[in-house]
């Protein structure tokens, strides 16, 4: 959704807390759920078999994208219900039961209750989810509360490509909203029932507040500096010329791939291209954020699929500028920036940057682009 992961001395303790907090900030959107929230106990085995299938090929582009890049089916609206323990456990359990086995439904909490630790929050959730199978999609995502300015619950927002198609307050029935959609209702439908204050804290604001109360500016800066000095980057050389490379995802199954319910997905020896079943849906723009010329270059790059979700991946960031540098970079690009990870680098066989990775027909194409020279008088 985003993963929820200072003390020999006070400084070290603050540093550890900062690292954990920043992990939450980095992973809030699309954070993975705890293992016990997985709806199918056999899913891990199915995932393992699928990885073996894809890894049998030299082209490993689509194998297990990082959780932080998980997306919903391209263009498919999702019903997002904003919930809180203030609704009461019976009402929450009823919502969980209705949302069970509905892939286009996302139940969103803002954070834990005041004074509550995250493990305690998840324990409360687990108790309510007892006997509900499959478990519904549940995340902690304060960014969504902020985006849609949700201040009371329940509220449902039907999201599609960053827009709200329908929203309504005071309704706990997902089917009620679906029926109104079928009737052609759109926009803000207003309030149709009782609404309640949100019992949980805003996790994002709590982290920001905690960062602001670190014991002195010097300690804070030391902790931030140590955090960045320890980061490992996936550094790649700069492209010296334009070059396009294609990645064929076609693989041959080494053995039968069986779904958890026993159904045969792929027979041993069968050749399959994952893009035949599911579009990639992403456009990755990979670049070195320590090089101003590369930043200028990626601002000129565009994706050929205008419907693809654009993700900026930095091979490295300025250790000296730290979080302030990252914030300025995201302001410049008007988009979030993520760090390139080793598995993404390997799966897309990335060699030089800047590069654009996207789908072209039944292949993945990696377009490496020569760095633009700065104009006279501009920074280099």
């Amino acid at each position: 959704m985003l993963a929820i992961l200072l003390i020999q001395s006070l400084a070290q303790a603050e540093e550890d807390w900062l690292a954990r907090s920043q992990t939450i900030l980095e992973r809030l959107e699309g954070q993975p759920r705890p293992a016990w929230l997985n709806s199918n106990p056999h899913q891990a085995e199915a995932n393992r078999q699928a990885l073996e299938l894809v890894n049998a090929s030299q082209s490993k582009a689509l194998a297990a994208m990082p959780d932080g890049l998980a997306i919903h089916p391209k263009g498919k609206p999702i019903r997002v219900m904003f919930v809180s323990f203030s609704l009461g456990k019976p009402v929450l359990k009823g919502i969980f039961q209705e949302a069970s086995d509905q892939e286009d439904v996302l139940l969103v909490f803002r954070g834990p209750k005041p004074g509550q630790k995250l493990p305690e929050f998840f324990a409360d959730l687990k108790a309510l989810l007892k006997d509900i199978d499959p478990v519904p999609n549940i995340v902690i995502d304060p960014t969504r509360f902020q985006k849609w300015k949700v201040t009371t619950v329940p509220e449902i927002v039907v999201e599609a490509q960053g827009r709200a198609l329908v929203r309504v307050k005071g309704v706990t029935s997902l089917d009620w909203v679906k029926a109104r959609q079928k009737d052609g209702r759109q926009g803000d439908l207003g309030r149709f029932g009782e609404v309640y204050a949100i019992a949980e804290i805003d996790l994002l604001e709590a982290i920001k507040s905690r960062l602001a109360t670190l014991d002195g500016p010097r300690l804070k800066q030391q902790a931030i500096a140590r955090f960045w000095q320890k980061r490992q980057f996936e550094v790649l050389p700069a492209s010296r010329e334009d070059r396009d490379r294609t990645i064929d995802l076609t693989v041959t199954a080494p053995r039968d791939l069986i779904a958890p319910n026993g159904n045969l997905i792929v027979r041993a020896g069968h050749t399959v291209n994952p893009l035949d079943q599911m579009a990639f849906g992403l456009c990755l723009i990979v670049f070195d954020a320590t090089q101003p010329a590369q930043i200028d270059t990626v601002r000129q790059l565009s994706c050929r699929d205008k419907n693809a979700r654009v993700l900026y991946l930095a091979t490295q960031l300025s250790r000296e500028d730290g979080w302030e540098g990252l914030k300025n970079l995201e302001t410049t690009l008007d988009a979030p920036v993520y760090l390139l990870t080793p598995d993404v680098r390997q799966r897309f066989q990335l060699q030089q940057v800047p590069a654009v990775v996207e789908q072209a027909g039944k292949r993945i194409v990696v377009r490496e682009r020569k760095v633009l020279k700065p104009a006279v008088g501009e920074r280099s």
Side-chain angles (χ1 to χ4, degrees):
M1 35 123 239
L2 253 198
I4 297 178
L5 286 172
L6 167 180
I7 213 182
Q8 293 179 353
S9 70
L10 178 60
Q12 182 62 45
E14 293 287 353
E15 176 186 358
D16 292 342
W17 184 91
L18 177 62
R20 291 195 302 271
S21 298
Q22 191 59 39
T23 297
I24 296 174
L25 286 170
E26 290 175 338
R27 302 297 298 275
L28 275 173
E29 183 175 359
Q31 63 186 4
R33 295 180 296 171
W36 56 265
L37 275 177
N38 290 332
S39 60
N40 193 320
H42 306 292
Q43 191 63 47
E45 174 61 18
N47 289 344
R48 185 183 64 80
Q49 292 188 40
L51 282 177
E52 288 183 8
L53 170 67
V54 178
N55 288 338
S57 167
Q58 293 300 313
S59 301
K60 304 177 180 179
L62 281 185
M65 286 291 291
D67 292 325
L69 304 185
I71 59 172
H72 293 280
K74 180 180 176 181
K76 182 179 180 181
I78 59 170
R79 286 169 291 163
V80 180
M81 181 182 287
F82 296 88
V83 294
S84 166
F85 273 93
S86 63
L87 294 174
K89 293 183 179 180
V91 173
L92 269 182
K93 191 171 185 70
I95 292 172
F96 293 168
Q97 290 170 334
E98 185 183 5
S100 175
D101 204 23
Q102 297 199 50
E103 294 184 355
D104 65 332
V105 171
L106 186 65
L107 306 179
V108 186
F109 285 86
R110 193 170 67 174
K113 288 176 280 191
Q116 186 182 46
K117 303 297 184 182
L118 284 169
E120 298 169 349
F121 173 83
F122 288 127
D124 288 348
L125 272 184
K126 185 175 181 179
L128 283 180
L129 290 164
K130 184 179 179 181
D131 302 325
I132 298 179
D133 184 27
V135 170
N137 297 314
I138 303 175
V139 296
I140 293 178
D141 190 352
T143 61
R144 264 193 167 95
F145 277 80
Q146 293 183 1
K147 177 179 180 179
W148 300 118
K149 298 179 173 58
V150 174
T151 57
T152 59
V153 292
E155 181 165 349
I156 300 175
V157 176
V158 181
E159 294 183 2
Q161 298 181 342
R163 298 185 301 110
L165 303 182
V166 179
R167 65 185 302 172
V168 61
K169 295 181 175 68
V171 173
T172 60
S173 172
L174 295 160
D175 288 340
W176 186 94
V177 174
K178 180 179 285 188
R180 297 306 179 277
Q181 284 185 272
K182 288 183 178 179
D183 292 340
R185 301 291 297 275
Q186 296 182 0
D188 193 337
L189 305 185
R191 172 178 162 182
F192 282 79
E194 194 71 27
V195 295
Y196 302 87
I198 301 168
E200 295 76 26
I201 64 171
D202 185 320
L203 186 57
L204 190 57
E205 292 302 320
I207 292 172
K208 292 178 180 178
S209 176
R210 183 66 180 90
L211 287 173
T213 60
L214 289 178
D215 189 16
R218 185 179 62 84
L219 178 59
K220 179 179 178 180
Q221 291 302 319
Q222 288 176 345
I224 292 175
R226 283 193 296 269
F227 178 86
W228 279 102
Q229 291 303 319
K230 292 188 296 186
R231 290 304 299 236
Q232 297 296 316
F233 296 129
E234 294 295 313
V235 182
L236 292 170
S239 302
R240 296 185 176 277
E241 61 180 2
D242 291 350
R243 181 177 66 163
D244 291 356
R245 298 184 289 107
T246 58
I247 301 175
D248 186 356
L249 303 182
T250 301
V251 295
T252 299
R255 57 186 175 87
D256 289 350
L257 178 60
I258 308 297
N261 62 6
N263 291 339
L264 178 66
I265 299 176
V266 179
R267 190 175 300 281
H270 182 69
T271 298
V272 62
N273 184 345
L275 294 178
D276 289 333
Q277 307 298 323
M278 181 180 68
F280 182 46
L282 293 174
C283 177
L284 309 182
I285 299 182
V286 191
F287 65 106
D288 186 341
T290 67
Q291 301 298 316
Q294 290 207 26
I295 298 174
D296 292 338
T297 299
V298 300
R299 293 177 66 185
Q300 306 297 322
L301 296 178
S302 61
C303 304
R304 296 188 179 181
D305 182 357
K306 302 306 179 184
N307 293 320
R309 180 187 177 194
V310 179
L311 291 178
Y312 289 94
L313 304 180
T315 59
Q316 59 179 333
L317 294 161
S318 170
R319 299 184 188 275
E320 291 74 21
D321 294 341
W323 300 118
E324 189 63 28
L326 176 58
K327 177 182 177 181
N328 292 336
L329 176 62
E330 293 183 331
T331 299
T332 298
L333 297 177
D334 192 25
V337 176
Y338 304 89
L339 282 177
L340 177 66
T341 58
D343 55 341
V344 175
R345 173 183 177 176
Q346 178 186 26
R347 286 175 174 85
F348 292 98
Q349 304 169 25
L350 296 173
Q351 299 174 7
Q352 300 178 106
V353 289
V356 178
V357 181
E358 61 182 331
Q359 182 175 349
K362 298 302 181 181
R363 302 288 187 270
I364 293 294
V365 62
V366 179
R367 312 183 197 279
E368 299 170 352
R369 289 298 176 259
K370 184 179 180 180
V371 177
L372 299 176
K373 293 182 179 180
V376 176
E378 291 185 346
R379 57 181 182 173
S380 59

